[in-house]
Amino acid sequence: MTNNIWRYLSIILPILLFGVLASLFLDRPGLQTDEILFANLSLGEISHTTYIARKIGGITFFVISYIGALKSWIFVPIFKIFGFNYFSVRIPMILLSMISLLLVYKAVNISFKKPLLAWFILMALVTESTFITMVRTDVGPIAIEYFCKILSILIIFKYLQNKKPSNLYFLPIVLALGIFNKINFIWFSNALLFSSLLLIFLLETKKERLTLVKWLGLTFLFEFVLFIGFNKLNPGMVSSSNIGIDLEFIKTKIQLFYYFGKGIFDGTGFYRIQYLISEETFGYNSLSKGIYQTFFYLFEVFLTVFIIYTLLIIRKILKKQNDNGDIYYLFFVSIILFISAQIFVVENARNLWHFYTLFPFFTICVFYAVYKLFGTKISWLFSVVVIIYNLNNFSTYVYALTNKTPNPFWSNKINELAEYVKPMKGEFVELDWGMSTQLLCSTKQDKFKQGFLTRKGELMAYLDNPEEVFYREHLENKELKDLYFISFQSKLADPKMNIIFDKMIDKKGYQKVLVKNFYENDKTLIYSIFRLKKG
């Protein structure tokens, strides 16, 4: 009884630690447009055009071309109970990720049958700074994707464990939800189904193989039909692809795999997005700098161990000297390789969240490899090193949260801007991307227009005569007293729209009147509100 209590606590306490770490300074950085692209629909469709991509029978099914309305539907009751705020937006995804971590532990324990190894992996994931920071703001989005990935793997493992066909009934549903949530989940779905074939051919008897192959085949067919159906309903859903014949393309993709792999591993990939953290920031104190520099090449060590042990496993399996744990290891390796191949050929897969599809499988494989190559004592040491490394990297993020000015697209000053414009009557034209959803959802008023886009959804900055188009769509036949323009003044914002706006003013004989400026805590100008008057 006592042993069971300690075992449960050893699992629950790390997951609770993750919840605490992910919830620190919950209102920093500010809400970002992509983070809450689902929220307009959840709040009752304040605007009928902002992130409402496709309706079927009057029901919105897609918020943008490749992201379905699953998260929007989930958040309808959440916003009704808790309102729209940092807590209601971020805490649900943190809680879902805590469940995902529990599922990871269960899946690893089933596959390798080594509770201590499963615990090592859990501790590494609980303290993994990229996972913590990405799910708390759920850019990508990745939280639901991560949950569906691990749950679908656990379904297959549970079947292999108890041979109950009823376990497999849920597999197509979970994969379908993953694809509906975001179309690139199809990378994982394909990888899982094909890797499962490898697993069952190495583990199961001929009769059991036949049963599972039928199930996997039917599931693949179902996912394929679903994928095609979604694309037919919502043309443009599938990103353009490239086979990779161009040498420059191949070189760029290889560089991205390394850059994002290392960036995900040490946290810098996402830190740099949210807080523009440079290498110098990791030296915010001498201890942090020392730890970061000491373990700077830890990712490269991980990658080397992964490659070496994978080659050894293939050799062992060919000689039939493997155990079941090795076969499960090869299953995870197969998922990594299948996903990587699909990321490689999809030309637009160039962001951190695309490459995060490879996790936590890489971490699982590396810890298993170290355990098998070096034994329990070295695994303990390895786990301690990784936890120290992770927590040090996360401490840099905490330092940034409390001391640094965020990337302007994550600015907390968006709250002040929303509060200022909320009581004002009239129409507000945004001159750049990065404000729309926050202002819409915070004020719950449909008075904001995206001036950087035409009514057809084209980028204004790339038109032949943008000043004239801007005038026709946003000023012609409108009362100037009811018209405001919000300019994103950050150096990171695209200056093209401000230039177009100023040229239009000169051509049409207007004068720009400043209504209010908004500044970051470091006195950097971030937003300006203007009105126009006849010259």
Side-chain angles (χ1 to χ4, degrees):
M1 180 70 177
T2 305
N3 287 339
N4 283 339
I5 291 172
W6 281 112
R7 184 164 62 87
Y8 292 139
L9 284 176
S10 71
I11 300 166
I12 293 168
L13 290 178
I15 293 173
L16 290 176
L17 172 64
F18 167 84
V20 171
L21 295 177
S23 303
L24 288 174
F25 306 106
L26 196 64
D27 61 346
R28 303 177 200 170
L31 295 171
Q32 192 246 23
T33 284
D34 283 349
E35 178 183 1
I36 54 171
L37 59 82
F38 70 93
N40 173 42
L41 179 58
S42 302
L43 290 166
E45 204 170 307
I46 303 162
S47 167
H48 299 302
T49 56
T50 302
Y51 292 124
I52 304 292
R54 175 71 178 181
K55 290 189 174 189
I56 303 171
I59 300 172
T60 301
F61 278 82
F62 293 94
V63 292
I64 58 177
S65 61
Y66 53 90
I67 294 181
L70 177 62
K71 187 175 178 181
S72 298
W73 296 345
I74 291 170
F75 271 79
V76 170
I78 293 172
F79 286 157
K80 282 187 177 179
I81 296 169
F82 298 103
F84 177 82
N85 50 58
Y86 285 97
F87 178 89
S88 63
V89 170
R90 291 179 173 170
I91 288 295
M93 293 297 99
I94 293 172
L95 293 174
L96 181 66
S97 299
M98 292 168 71
I99 297 171
S100 298
L101 288 168
L102 177 62
L103 298 183
V104 171
Y105 175 84
K106 290 177 70 68
V108 171
N109 201 23
I110 289 172
S111 56
F112 300 135
K113 293 181 172 55
K114 298 182 185 298
L116 182 61
L117 174 61
W119 187 81
F120 286 152
I121 292 169
L122 176 65
M123 288 302 300
L125 296 177
V126 159
T127 56
E128 184 195 289
S129 47
T130 297
F131 184 55
I132 295 170
T133 54
M134 285 188 77
V135 298
R136 67 185 252 122
T137 52
D138 200 25
V139 171
I142 71 151
I144 294 175
E145 172 191 295
Y146 199 97
F147 174 78
C148 290
K149 284 192 303 187
I150 305 305
L151 181 57
S152 57
I153 287 175
L154 191 59
I155 287 170
I156 290 175
F157 286 3
K158 278 288 187 182
Y159 172 79
L160 293 174
Q161 189 182 43
N162 56 33
K163 299 298 188 292
K164 290 182 180 177
S166 58
N167 286 328
L168 293 175
Y169 296 162
F170 296 100
L171 182 62
I173 297 170
V174 174
L175 294 179
L177 288 173
I179 294 170
F180 178 51
N181 177 60
K182 191 178 180 184
I183 191 61
N184 69 348
F185 189 84
I186 196 77
W187 300 339
F188 169 76
S189 180
N190 291 338
L192 175 68
L193 295 175
F194 282 104
S195 299
S196 297
L197 289 175
L198 175 70
L199 192 64
I200 61 176
F201 271 95
L202 290 173
L203 283 178
E204 299 302 299
T205 64
K206 187 174 181 180
K207 182 181 179 181
E208 289 167 337
R209 285 176 194 167
L210 188 60
T211 302
L212 271 168
V213 167
K214 286 179 181 177
W215 261 105
L216 294 174
L218 288 171
T219 302
F220 178 76
L221 182 63
F222 172 69
E223 303 304 316
F224 179 76
V225 170
L226 188 69
F227 178 79
I228 297 299
F230 281 172
N231 195 49
K232 289 288 184 184
L233 288 170
N234 200 19
M237 189 179 191
V238 184
S239 299
S240 59
S241 298
N242 192 312
I243 296 175
I245 297 173
D246 186 293
L247 290 177
E248 190 59 35
F249 174 84
I250 295 172
K251 180 183 174 183
T252 300
K253 270 303 178 85
I254 292 172
Q255 288 172 339
L256 286 173
F257 268 97
Y258 174 73
Y259 174 76
F260 283 126
K262 188 173 179 67
I264 288 168
F265 186 74
D266 67 15
T268 58
F270 203 59
Y271 292 2
R272 288 194 175 105
I273 293 173
Q274 282 194 345
Y275 272 89
L276 309 177
I277 291 176
S278 62
E279 297 293 339
E280 289 74 29
T281 310
F282 277 83
Y284 71 94
N285 65 42
S286 56
L287 178 61
S288 171
K289 184 176 182 179
I291 293 172
Y292 181 68
Q293 289 180 342
T294 301
F295 300 118
F296 183 77
Y297 292 106
L298 193 58
F299 171 71
E300 286 79 359
V301 172
F302 265 45
L303 190 59
T304 303
V305 169
F306 171 76
I307 292 169
I308 289 172
Y309 193 69
T310 299
L311 294 174
L312 288 174
I313 283 291
I314 292 172
R315 183 171 175 268
K316 285 173 69 177
I317 287 175
L318 290 175
K319 290 188 171 185
K320 298 184 178 179
Q321 297 172 344
N322 58 283
D323 57 29
N324 284 356
D326 293 336
I327 294 172
Y328 278 99
Y329 172 88
L330 201 60
F331 165 80
F332 288 118
V333 170
S334 178
I335 287 179
I336 292 170
L337 295 178
F338 271 110
I339 293 174
S340 297
Q342 292 169 96
I343 291 174
F344 194 93
V345 299
V346 176
E347 187 174 2
N348 292 343
R350 293 169 179 261
N351 287 312
L352 186 76
W353 39 89
H354 297 137
F355 290 84
Y356 200 75
T357 316
L358 298 169
F359 286 77
F361 313 118
F362 179 70
T363 306
I364 292 170
C365 288
V366 170
F367 269 82
Y368 179 79
V370 170
Y371 190 90
K372 293 288 284 188
L373 287 171
F374 304 109
T376 304
K377 290 182 179 179
I378 296 298
S379 293
W380 266 107
L381 178 62
F382 182 72
S383 182
V384 170
V385 167
V386 170
I387 291 168
I388 291 171
Y389 178 76
N390 284 349
L391 289 175
N392 181 65
N393 292 341
F394 182 70
S395 75
T396 304
Y397 184 67
V398 174
Y399 171 80
L401 288 174
T402 53
N403 293 278
K404 286 182 67 70
T405 299
N407 177 326
F409 297 110
W410 297 86
S411 175
N412 287 92
K413 297 301 173 181
I414 195 72
N415 304 330
E416 290 183 21
L417 178 61
E419 285 301 312
Y420 183 81
V421 301
K422 188 174 183 177
M424 298 170 68
K425 305 295 183 184
E427 183 174 290
F428 292 80
V429 180
E430 302 154 357
L431 297 181
D432 205 346
W433 179 89
M435 300 176 279
S436 303
T437 325
Q438 302 98 307
L439 294 176
L440 181 73
C441 296
S442 296
T443 63
K444 297 181 178 62
Q445 297 170 354
D446 186 16
K447 60 184 181 183
F448 305 98
K449 306 299 177 186
Q450 296 177 330
F452 54 95
L453 294 175
T454 67
R455 288 175 190 145
K456 294 180 179 179
E458 302 165 311
L459 286 168
M460 193 76 69
Y462 294 95
L463 300 179
D464 291 334
N465 192 9
E467 302 88 12
E468 195 61 40
V469 177
F470 186 91
Y471 171 76
R472 286 199 309 267
E473 295 204 357
H474 297 292
L475 277 112
E476 194 171 39
N477 300 324
K478 291 186 179 181
E479 290 286 341
L480 292 180
K481 65 181 178 66
D482 298 325
L483 201 55
Y484 298 87
F485 299 87
I486 306 176
S487 175
F488 213 152
Q489 297 289 350
S490 166
K491 292 178 182 177
L492 284 184
D494 190 342
K496 294 188 186 77
M497 277 309 302
N498 282 322
I499 294 170
I500 291 167
F501 184 59
D502 289 339
K503 283 184 178 179
M504 184 277 300
I505 288 172
D506 291 339
K507 279 186 178 181
K508 301 298 181 181
Y510 292 115
Q511 285 186 7
K512 193 159 57 173
V513 179
L514 177 65
V515 176
K516 186 173 176 61
N517 283 331
F518 295 82
Y519 296 88
E520 286 286 5
N521 293 337
D522 64 358
K523 308 304 180 187
T524 303
L525 178 62
I526 181 148
Y527 308 118
S528 294
I529 301 178
F530 298 106
R531 296 181 71 172
L532 298 181
K533 67 177 184 179
K534 278 293 184 180

